[in-house]
Amino acid sequence: MSVVTTEKQDNVLVIIADNPPVNALGAAVRQGLVDGIDQALSDDGIEAVVIRCDGRTFFAGADVTEFGKPMKGPSLADALDQLEASNKPVVAAIHGTALGGGCEVALACHYRVAVPSAKIGLPEVKLGLIPGAAGTQRLPRVVGAEAALPMVVTGNPISATKAHAIGLVDKIVGEDVLANDAIAFAREQIGKPVPRSSEGTANRDGVENPAIFDEFRQKNARKLRGFEAPEAAIQAVKAAGEMSYAEGVKKERELFTRLMSGTQSAAMRHYFFAERAANKIDGIDPKIDLIPIHKVGILGAGTMGGGIAMNFLSAGIPVTIVELKEDALDRGVGVIRKNYENTAKRGRMTEQQVEDAMAMLTPSLSYDDLADCDLVIEAVFENMDVKKQVFSKLDAIVKQGAILASNTSYLNIDEIAAMTKRPEYVLGLHFFSPANVMKLLEIVRGEKTADDVLMTAMKLSKKIGKVAAVSGVCPGFIGNRMLSPRQEQANQMIMEGANYWEVDDVLLEFGFPMGPFQMSDLAGVDIGWHRDPERIETLRDALCAAGRWGQKVGKGFYDYDEARNRTPSDEVKQIIAEFATRAGKEQRAISKDEIRERLLYPMVNEGAKILEEGMAQRASDIDVVWINGYGWPLYTGGPMFWADTIGLDTVVGGLEKHGLPAAELLRDKASKGEKFNG
C-alpha cells in the first residue's frame, strides 16, 4: 500500500501521508507529495489542496536512516519548490508535531491550519545541522528574523498557539475535526492570490535592526558555547534578510553541507542513535511482560531521596518516603515542596500541579509503610554495612514480587542482593545529583537480576524523564569508574608542576562545564574527610584543616567572591608546593596538550576495559552515560566516539608516551584500524 494517497472532496484534493510511526519524509513520501500536487494541477475540477497525515502526527522530520546515503527520488527541497509553485491554494493541516522537514513542508504550503495541541519546530540544530530545504529562508519571511531565531537556533518546538501569534499558523481549528475544518478553510482561499512564503517580507526586521542577531548571540552564549550549528543557523536567518530568496537558499545549502560533513554533526547524530540503542537490552525480548509500578517507596528523605521522590511524583506515581527521625522527614518534605514552588514561580508548573504532586507524597517514620510498594529505592548513607542492614529489613517487610533498588554510586549490588531472599528482584538505580534535574539513570544489573525487573526499570526510567544506560556490577559502574583515573591524573599533575587552575581550564576549553578542582569545591572538599585537623596525610586533609571546605565557605582550591567567581589561591599554591616537596616530586612545566591527554586518554582506556569485561553492552552506552551524567560535551559524541574521531592509535600512542597502560581491547582495535562504534 502506498505511503501517500489522495482523495477528492468535491473541488478539494486531500493528499494523505501514512508512513508510521512518525510520517518521516522518506523518498516514497517525497515522491507522493510531488505526484499529489501534479494530480491537483492537471485536474481542472480541483481548485484547492489539503495536505494532512494519518496516525499520531504530521510529518515529524526527515528519515534519519537516509543520512549519509545517496539521495533517492526528489529531494525535499525540490518537492517543496514544486508544492509552493502551485497556483491553486495548498493548506497544511497540522496535528501532533510538524518538526524539521515537516515544518518545512508546512512553510512551503500557502496556508497552515493546526489543532491546539500541535507543536511546530525546526530541531535540526540538535543533530548538529540546520534545516536544509529552505526552512531558514521561508520561516523569517513569514514570521520575521526575531521570531525565527529561537526556532532555528535552539531547535525547541513552539505550541500551535504561539505559532498562530507569530503568524506561522493562519488558523487554529477543532481538535477532533481537523480534516473537515482544513477542507473548509481551503475552500475559503479559492480565487485569492496564493501567498508564497518565499515571497514574504516579514524578514525586514533583521535588516532594519541588525543588532537583533548579536543580542541573540549574547543572550544565549552560555548555552551555545562550543556548538557550530547554532552560529550557522544565525547566519542563515540573517541571510534571509540580506539576500534574495534564491541566494539565501544557496547560502543555506552551503552551510548545511559544511555541517553535514563535519565531525560535530557526525557526533550528535551518533548520540541520537546511541540514546535509542541504550534502551535495547541484548538477549531480552523487548515485548517481555513488565511489572506494574503503581506505588514507589523511598528510604531516606535527604537531598538524594527527596530528588528521587520528585521524579515519580512529577510523573503521577504516588510515593511513600521514610526517614528515621521526624525533623529529618519534615526537612526533606519541606525541601521537596520548596523545589516545586520555585518551579511554579518560574512558570513551569501551576500552583495546582504543586499541590497535586504533594498530595501524592506520604511521609512516614516506619518501614512498615513500604510494605505495599511495587518498587522501593534506598537512598541512605553510602556504606556497605548500612545498605546490607537496610535490604535485610526491606526484604522482610516489602511484599513479594516488588523490586528492591539501591541508589548506590559505587557499591557491589550482588553483595547487597545476597542479603535478601529475592536477589532476582534487586538492582541498582544510580540517580545523579540533583536527582530531580539530572537526566542520567545508571541501571545496575546484578548477577541474578531478572529480565522483567531490568526491563521494568528501563521502561520506568523513560516515564520519569530519565535517559537510562545499563551497567554490570563493578566498582563505580560506568561513570564513576571512568572518573577515577581522570581524577588520579589530575592529582598527580598538580604534584608534578601543573597549576590546578590550568587543569580545570583545559577541561573547560574541551567543553566540560567545570574541571575536577572546581567540581571538588562545588561538591565540598570536606566530603568524607575524617574531621581531625591534626591528622594531615593528604592534600585534601591540608585544605580541610585550613578551613578550605569549598564554595559553601567561600574558599576551597579557589577563593570565591560573593557572586561565586573563582580566583586561584596563594595559600593553596603554597600547600601544594609543600606537599610536592615532601613527596620529592620534581616540578616542571606541563603543557595543555599533556594535561588534556593525561586526563582524557585514561578515561577512554577505562571505557575499553569496561567493554572488555562486559560491564557495558556497547561503546555508545558509555557515551550516553558521560554526556548525560558528567557534562562530556555533546558535540564530541562522548568519550568513546571522540576516541574514534581522533583515532584509537592516537590514544594508544598518547598513553605510551606518558607511561600509562593501554587495555588489550584498545590496543587490538587500534592495531586493526578499527573503532569502538561501528
Side-chain angles (χ1 to χ4, degrees):
M1 189 175 157
S2 174
V3 291
V4 178
T5 54
T6 59
E7 62 181 39
K8 280 188 185 181
Q9 296 281 345
D10 296 328
N11 60 341
V12 176
L13 184 73
V14 184
I15 302 173
I16 305 159
D18 187 7
N19 184 29
V22 295
N23 287 308
L25 286 152
V29 176
R30 298 193 299 270
Q31 187 63 58
L33 288 174
V34 169
D35 293 345
I37 291 297
D38 286 347
Q39 181 186 340
L41 296 178
S42 61
D43 185 340
D44 291 341
I46 297 298
E47 296 181 273
V49 180
V50 168
I51 297 176
R52 68 172 180 82
C53 295
D54 280 344
R56 56 191 173 94
T57 184
F58 193 69
F59 305 107
D63 184 344
V64 288
T65 62
E66 293 184 340
F67 282 5
K69 296 176 185 172
M71 179 67 70
K72 288 181 184 173
S75 70
L76 184 59
D78 289 345
L80 299 190
D81 285 348
Q82 288 185 54
L83 191 159
E84 192 188 48
S86 164
N87 57 6
K88 297 177 181 180
V90 182
V91 177
I94 303 166
H95 77 293
T97 51
L99 299 178
C103 180
E104 289 179 300
V105 171
L107 281 163
C109 293
H110 306 129
Y111 301 96
R112 291 154 291 281
V113 300
V115 297
S117 61
K119 286 189 163 53
I120 303 172
L122 292 165
E124 286 86 351
V125 73
K126 295 178 190 290
L127 293 178
L129 297 168
I130 62 171
T136 68
Q137 301 307 298
R138 286 191 174 104
L139 181 64
R141 286 172 164 83
V142 173
V143 304
E146 192 166 8
L149 276 170
M151 288 186 71
V152 182
V153 181
T154 70
N156 297 326
I158 60 172
S159 66
T161 315
K162 175 77 184 288
H164 184 247
I166 64 174
L168 178 54
V169 164
D170 297 287
K171 189 176 183 182
I172 303 286
V173 298
E175 198 76 56
D176 301 318
V177 287
L178 173 63
N180 290 339
D181 282 6
I183 290 167
F185 181 86
R187 287 202 176 106
E188 290 170 15
Q189 314 316 319
I190 293 169
K192 298 177 186 176
V194 293
R196 294 186 173 91
S197 300
S198 62
E199 297 168 359
T201 56
N203 55 326
R204 294 296 306 163
D205 64 338
V207 179
E208 288 156 11
N209 180 18
I212 63 174
F213 298 101
D214 279 340
E215 285 167 7
F216 186 85
R217 282 186 184 99
Q218 286 160 14
K219 187 179 168 190
N220 296 279
R222 197 169 161 203
K223 266 190 294 190
L224 307 181
R225 184 172 73 95
F227 289 90
E228 292 169 358
E231 177 54 34
I234 293 170
Q235 288 176 27
V237 172
K238 198 163 188 274
E242 295 173 346
M243 297 179 173
S244 69
Y245 176 73
E247 286 297 310
V249 169
K250 195 175 165 191
K251 174 76 171 173
E252 177 192 87
R253 176 51 44 183
E254 284 169 10
L255 291 164
F256 176 89
T257 305
R258 191 179 77 220
L259 292 169
M260 180 58 110
S261 59
T263 55
Q264 282 205 3
S265 180
M268 292 168 77
R269 281 178 276 135
H270 158 76
Y271 176 74
F272 176 84
F273 290 111
E275 192 178 305
R276 281 144 189 80
N279 287 312
K280 300 180 177 78
I281 313 299
D282 295 343
I284 301 182
D285 182 353
K287 292 177 183 165
I288 193 171
D289 288 338
L290 303 179
I291 299 164
I293 306 293
H294 300 301
K295 186 178 179 185
V296 172
I298 312 279
L299 191 61
T303 304
M304 278 309 292
I308 292 168
M310 288 179 71
N311 290 295
F312 294 99
L313 296 172
S314 299
I317 300 171
V319 171
T320 297
I321 194 163
V322 173
E323 256 296 352
L324 298 179
K325 294 182 179 172
E326 185 75 55
D327 60 340
L329 185 64
D330 291 346
R331 189 164 56 246
V333 171
V335 169
I336 292 173
R337 175 174 280 282
K338 188 179 173 189
N339 285 341
Y340 276 134
E341 286 173 348
N342 286 340
T343 305
K345 276 179 196 164
R346 290 194 296 269
R348 292 180 192 162
M349 282 178 92
T350 64
E351 293 198 6
Q352 186 57 52
Q353 284 172 321
V354 173
E355 295 308 322
D356 290 346
M358 293 305 296
M360 285 186 291
L361 179 66
T362 304
S364 170
L365 294 170
S366 171
Y367 272 70
D368 293 340
D369 288 335
L370 300 171
D372 63 341
C373 291
D374 304 298
L375 163 68
V376 177
I377 304 167
E378 67 75 15
V380 301
F381 188 62
E382 186 78 339
N383 173 284
M384 181 57 90
D385 292 336
V386 174
K387 303 267 190 198
K388 283 180 172 179
Q389 287 171 19
V390 163
F391 270 76
S392 181
K393 202 167 177 181
L394 288 174
D395 188 43
I397 291 169
V398 180
K399 69 182 181 183
Q400 289 303 306
I403 300 171
L404 303 180
S406 174
N407 177 53
T408 178
S409 58
Y410 201 85
L411 300 175
N412 188 310
I413 290 295
D414 292 332
E415 215 178 306
I416 293 169
M419 298 304 296
T420 74
K421 296 185 180 72
R422 56 175 115 183
E424 69 278 13
Y425 282 90
V426 177
L427 81 172
L429 292 179
H430 178 207
F431 288 82
F432 284 68
S433 187
N436 53 310
V437 175
M438 293 292 283
K439 298 265 294 183
L440 181 66
L441 178 60
E442 257 185 329
I443 299 183
V444 187
R445 183 184 197 174
E447 187 189 350
K448 296 183 177 173
T449 304
D451 289 354
D452 60 343
V453 170
L454 185 63
M455 291 306 284
T456 297
M458 291 298 288
K459 184 81 175 173
L460 193 59
S461 69
K462 210 166 187 179
K463 188 170 183 180
I464 62 172
K466 299 297 180 196
V467 175
V470 176
S471 170
V473 176
C474 57
F477 315 128
I478 294 171
N480 284 341
R481 177 172 169 177
M482 288 171 67
L483 186 63
S484 187
R486 188 184 89 178
Q487 193 62 47
E488 192 181 309
Q489 286 300 310
N491 292 338
Q492 280 185 27
M493 282 189 282
I494 62 171
M495 287 292 123
E496 294 168 21
N499 291 311
Y500 64 87
W501 59 91
E502 288 173 345
V503 174
D504 280 348
D505 287 347
V506 163
L507 286 190
L508 289 172
E509 285 166 22
F510 184 77
F512 279 94
M514 62 179 69
F517 301 107
Q518 284 173 282
M519 195 176 0
S520 182
D521 278 359
L522 182 64
V525 181
D526 62 320
I527 288 180
W529 178 46
H530 50 64
R531 304 280 157 186
D532 180 357
E534 301 300 316
R535 192 175 127 207
I536 299 176
E537 296 160 1
T538 66
L539 173 61
R540 189 188 63 170
D541 291 347
L543 293 177
C544 289
R548 303 194 70 91
W549 293 5
Q551 270 194 30
K552 59 192 171 188
V553 294
K555 57 181 186 174
F557 278 92
Y558 296 93
D559 292 327
Y560 294 90
D561 64 17
E562 287 176 10
R564 296 204 168 189
N565 294 312
R566 65 190 171 101
T567 50
S569 159
D570 290 335
E571 183 183 16
V572 174
K573 284 185 222 170
Q574 186 60 39
I575 291 171
I576 292 171
E578 286 167 9
F579 261 86
T581 304
R582 205 180 310 161
K585 292 280 185 187
E586 196 177 323
Q587 301 294 286
R588 63 185 176 89
I590 298 181
S591 70
K592 282 190 171 187
D593 284 344
E594 181 178 341
I595 292 171
R596 186 174 58 254
E597 289 168 6
R598 286 179 61 182
L599 291 175
L600 302 183
Y601 290 177
M603 294 175 66
V604 172
N605 188 61
E606 199 65 37
K609 284 158 72 174
I610 286 168
L611 290 171
E612 258 175 7
E613 296 165 20
M615 294 295 108
Q617 293 181 100
R618 49 186 86 85
S620 61
D621 286 4
I622 295 174
D623 293 333
V624 166
V625 166
W626 268 85
I627 283 170
N628 287 286
Y630 297 85
W632 188 286
L634 172 61
Y635 51 76
T636 69
M640 308 314 275
F641 187 85
W642 172 73
D644 288 343
T645 304
I646 64 170
L648 301 190
D649 54 341
T650 303
V651 177
V652 171
L655 289 167
E656 288 175 342
K657 180 173 67 177
H658 301 301
L660 298 166
E664 197 177 319
L665 179 68
L666 176 58
R667 281 190 185 280
D668 183 53
K669 284 189 173 293
S671 67
K672 293 175 182 171
E674 293 177 354
K675 296 182 173 185
F676 287 120
N677 295 280

PDB file of all heavy atoms in Angstrom, residues 495 574-587:
ATOM      1  N   MET A 495      50.931  17.769  41.467  1.00  0.00           N
ATOM      2  CA  MET A 495      52.130  17.482  42.261  1.00  0.00           C
ATOM      3  C   MET A 495      53.399  17.630  41.407  1.00  0.00           C
ATOM      4  O   MET A 495      54.484  17.889  41.909  1.00  0.00           O
ATOM      5  CB  MET A 495      52.069  16.055  42.815  1.00  0.00           C
ATOM      6  CG  MET A 495      51.070  15.871  43.937  1.00  0.00           C
ATOM      7  SD  MET A 495      51.568  16.744  45.435  1.00  0.00           S
ATOM      8  CE  MET A 495      50.143  17.778  45.661  1.00  0.00           C
ATOM      9  N   GLN A 574      50.778  27.360  47.925  1.00  0.00           N
ATOM     10  CA  GLN A 574      51.816  27.071  48.925  1.00  0.00           C
ATOM     11  C   GLN A 574      51.640  25.663  49.506  1.00  0.00           C
ATOM     12  O   GLN A 574      52.610  24.908  49.652  1.00  0.00           O
ATOM     13  CB  GLN A 574      51.752  28.128  50.043  1.00  0.00           C
ATOM     14  CG  GLN A 574      52.869  28.035  51.078  1.00  0.00           C
ATOM     15  CD  GLN A 574      54.257  28.199  50.473  1.00  0.00           C
ATOM     16  OE1 GLN A 574      54.466  29.008  49.569  1.00  0.00           O
ATOM     17  NE2 GLN A 574      55.219  27.403  50.945  1.00  0.00           N
ATOM     18  N   ILE A 575      50.401  25.308  49.818  1.00  0.00           N
ATOM     19  CA  ILE A 575      50.118  23.970  50.382  1.00  0.00           C
ATOM     20  C   ILE A 575      50.532  22.885  49.391  1.00  0.00           C
ATOM     21  O   ILE A 575      51.172  21.890  49.760  1.00  0.00           O
ATOM     22  CB  ILE A 575      48.617  23.842  50.748  1.00  0.00           C
ATOM     23  CG1 ILE A 575      48.264  24.740  51.936  1.00  0.00           C
ATOM     24  CG2 ILE A 575      48.260  22.382  51.067  1.00  0.00           C
ATOM     25  CD1 ILE A 575      46.770  24.845  52.233  1.00  0.00           C
ATOM     26  N   ILE A 576      50.200  23.079  48.112  1.00  0.00           N
ATOM     27  CA  ILE A 576      50.560  22.094  47.076  1.00  0.00           C
ATOM     28  C   ILE A 576      52.077  21.993  46.941  1.00  0.00           C
ATOM     29  O   ILE A 576      52.639  20.887  46.865  1.00  0.00           O
ATOM     30  CB  ILE A 576      49.910  22.458  45.711  1.00  0.00           C
ATOM     31  CG1 ILE A 576      48.387  22.299  45.787  1.00  0.00           C
ATOM     32  CG2 ILE A 576      50.474  21.582  44.585  1.00  0.00           C
ATOM     33  CD1 ILE A 576      47.638  22.838  44.570  1.00  0.00           C
ATOM     34  N   ALA A 577      52.748  23.145  46.939  1.00  0.00           N
ATOM     35  CA  ALA A 577      54.220  23.168  46.813  1.00  0.00           C
ATOM     36  C   ALA A 577      54.871  22.392  47.958  1.00  0.00           C
ATOM     37  O   ALA A 577      55.826  21.627  47.760  1.00  0.00           O
ATOM     38  CB  ALA A 577      54.720  24.604  46.780  1.00  0.00           C
ATOM     39  N   GLU A 578      54.351  22.576  49.178  1.00  0.00           N
ATOM     40  CA  GLU A 578      54.895  21.867  50.348  1.00  0.00           C
ATOM     41  C   GLU A 578      54.710  20.361  50.209  1.00  0.00           C
ATOM     42  O   GLU A 578      55.617  19.580  50.526  1.00  0.00           O
ATOM     43  CB  GLU A 578      54.215  22.373  51.626  1.00  0.00           C
ATOM     44  CG  GLU A 578      54.678  23.756  52.051  1.00  0.00           C
ATOM     45  CD  GLU A 578      53.788  24.374  53.130  1.00  0.00           C
ATOM     46  OE1 GLU A 578      52.906  23.644  53.658  1.00  0.00           O
ATOM     47  OE2 GLU A 578      53.968  25.574  53.425  1.00  0.00           O
ATOM     48  N   PHE A 579      53.519  19.942  49.743  1.00  0.00           N
ATOM     49  CA  PHE A 579      53.254  18.509  49.555  1.00  0.00           C
ATOM     50  C   PHE A 579      54.161  17.913  48.485  1.00  0.00           C
ATOM     51  O   PHE A 579      54.672  16.804  48.636  1.00  0.00           O
ATOM     52  CB  PHE A 579      51.778  18.274  49.190  1.00  0.00           C
ATOM     53  CG  PHE A 579      50.961  17.851  50.368  1.00  0.00           C
ATOM     54  CD1 PHE A 579      50.413  18.799  51.214  1.00  0.00           C
ATOM     55  CD2 PHE A 579      50.784  16.515  50.661  1.00  0.00           C
ATOM     56  CE1 PHE A 579      49.678  18.416  52.325  1.00  0.00           C
ATOM     57  CE2 PHE A 579      50.053  16.121  51.780  1.00  0.00           C
ATOM     58  CZ  PHE A 579      49.499  17.068  52.614  1.00  0.00           C
ATOM     59  N   ALA A 580      54.361  18.670  47.406  1.00  0.00           N
ATOM     60  CA  ALA A 580      55.211  18.189  46.305  1.00  0.00           C
ATOM     61  C   ALA A 580      56.653  18.020  46.788  1.00  0.00           C
ATOM     62  O   ALA A 580      57.319  17.022  46.470  1.00  0.00           O
ATOM     63  CB  ALA A 580      55.150  19.150  45.128  1.00  0.00           C
ATOM     64  N   THR A 581      57.126  18.984  47.591  1.00  0.00           N
ATOM     65  CA  THR A 581      58.496  18.918  48.122  1.00  0.00           C
ATOM     66  C   THR A 581      58.642  17.705  49.039  1.00  0.00           C
ATOM     67  O   THR A 581      59.609  16.944  48.952  1.00  0.00           O
ATOM     68  CB  THR A 581      58.826  20.213  48.909  1.00  0.00           C
ATOM     69  OG1 THR A 581      58.628  21.332  48.045  1.00  0.00           O
ATOM     70  CG2 THR A 581      60.260  20.194  49.414  1.00  0.00           C
ATOM     71  N   ARG A 582      57.663  17.522  49.930  1.00  0.00           N
ATOM     72  CA  ARG A 582      57.686  16.406  50.876  1.00  0.00           C
ATOM     73  C   ARG A 582      57.696  15.058  50.142  1.00  0.00           C
ATOM     74  O   ARG A 582      58.334  14.100  50.564  1.00  0.00           O
ATOM     75  CB  ARG A 582      56.458  16.496  51.784  1.00  0.00           C
ATOM     76  CG  ARG A 582      56.660  15.804  53.133  1.00  0.00           C
ATOM     77  CD  ARG A 582      55.438  15.912  54.004  1.00  0.00           C
ATOM     78  NE  ARG A 582      54.917  17.282  54.109  1.00  0.00           N
ATOM     79  CZ  ARG A 582      53.680  17.580  54.505  1.00  0.00           C
ATOM     80  NH1 ARG A 582      52.823  16.612  54.799  1.00  0.00           N
ATOM     81  NH2 ARG A 582      53.295  18.836  54.593  1.00  0.00           N
ATOM     82  N   ALA A 583      56.955  15.005  48.994  1.00  0.00           N
ATOM     83  CA  ALA A 583      56.867  13.756  48.224  1.00  0.00           C
ATOM     84  C   ALA A 583      58.059  13.595  47.278  1.00  0.00           C
ATOM     85  O   ALA A 583      58.178  12.576  46.582  1.00  0.00           O
ATOM     86  CB  ALA A 583      55.567  13.742  47.421  1.00  0.00           C
ATOM     87  N   GLY A 584      58.943  14.596  47.253  1.00  0.00           N
ATOM     88  CA  GLY A 584      60.117  14.528  46.388  1.00  0.00           C
ATOM     89  C   GLY A 584      59.774  14.623  44.916  1.00  0.00           C
ATOM     90  O   GLY A 584      60.495  14.087  44.064  1.00  0.00           O
ATOM     91  N   LYS A 585      58.672  15.293  44.598  1.00  0.00           N
ATOM     92  CA  LYS A 585      58.239  15.431  43.198  1.00  0.00           C
ATOM     93  C   LYS A 585      58.958  16.603  42.543  1.00  0.00           C
ATOM     94  O   LYS A 585      58.874  17.741  43.021  1.00  0.00           O
ATOM     95  CB  LYS A 585      56.723  15.685  43.125  1.00  0.00           C
ATOM     96  CG  LYS A 585      55.884  14.493  43.546  1.00  0.00           C
ATOM     97  CD  LYS A 585      55.767  13.474  42.435  1.00  0.00           C
ATOM     98  CE  LYS A 585      54.824  12.342  42.835  1.00  0.00           C
ATOM     99  NZ  LYS A 585      54.820  11.270  41.846  1.00  0.00           N
ATOM    100  N   GLU A 586      59.674  16.306  41.493  1.00  0.00           N
ATOM    101  CA  GLU A 586      60.367  17.364  40.759  1.00  0.00           C
ATOM    102  C   GLU A 586      59.347  18.202  39.995  1.00  0.00           C
ATOM    103  O   GLU A 586      58.451  17.665  39.343  1.00  0.00           O
ATOM    104  CB  GLU A 586      61.356  16.724  39.774  1.00  0.00           C
ATOM    105  CG  GLU A 586      62.391  17.698  39.257  1.00  0.00           C
ATOM    106  CD  GLU A 586      63.403  17.010  38.347  1.00  0.00           C
ATOM    107  OE1 GLU A 586      63.767  15.851  38.642  1.00  0.00           O
ATOM    108  OE2 GLU A 586      63.787  17.628  37.343  1.00  0.00           O
ATOM    109  N   GLN A 587      59.456  19.500  40.072  1.00  0.00           N
ATOM    110  CA  GLN A 587      58.495  20.393  39.419  1.00  0.00           C
ATOM    111  C   GLN A 587      58.934  20.705  37.981  1.00  0.00           C
ATOM    112  O   GLN A 587      60.122  20.919  37.729  1.00  0.00           O
ATOM    113  CB  GLN A 587      58.369  21.701  40.199  1.00  0.00           C
ATOM    114  CG  GLN A 587      57.923  21.518  41.635  1.00  0.00           C
ATOM    115  CD  GLN A 587      56.505  20.980  41.746  1.00  0.00           C
ATOM    116  OE1 GLN A 587      55.539  21.695  41.513  1.00  0.00           O
ATOM    117  NE2 GLN A 587      56.366  19.702  42.079  1.00  0.00           N
TER     118      GLN A 587
END
